[in-house]
Amino acid sequence: MKWWWMFGILAIGGMMFVNEAWYGNSAAFGTATSMIIVAWIGLKSLENRYRIRMGVIFSLLIAEAIYFGLPSYSVAEAEHTLKHSH
């Protein structure tokens, strides 16, 4: 198994763990996960001179998808506020 597959599997597993522990499974990590898989497949079929350029573009897109997929609230904080206000 190549190192990027192992890193990708660890990254996806880490995102799933953080999603469950911090956000109560409310973060949209499916988009970022599917983008990582598409990037692996797409970069494998490119010529060497285009791989670095497209790799940077894919990395930026994946980073943006992860950033915008994170909720701006905490589930625990929302439950706490709900209990105190009702």
Side-chain angles (χ1 to χ4, degrees), residues 11-79:
I12 292 168
M15 286 191 298
M16 292 172 69
F17 177 77
V18 167
N19 185 20
E20 181 182 354
W22 292 358
Y23 301 110
N25 286 327
S26 63
F29 284 134
T31 302
T33 305
S34 61
M35 289 178 76
I36 290 171
I37 293 169
V38 167
W40 284 338
I41 294 169
L43 290 176
K44 180 122 177 111
S45 64
L46 287 177
E47 296 178 19
N48 284 337
R49 63 182 176 166
Y50 296 118
R51 274 192 190 162
I52 294 174
R53 185 179 315 146
M54 292 306 294
V56 169
I57 292 171
F58 275 133
S59 299
L60 291 174
L61 288 174
I62 292 168
E64 287 179 16
I66 291 171
Y67 178 75
F68 290 120
L70 293 175
S72 61
Y73 60 89
S74 166
V75 174
E77 181 182 343
E79 289 175 351

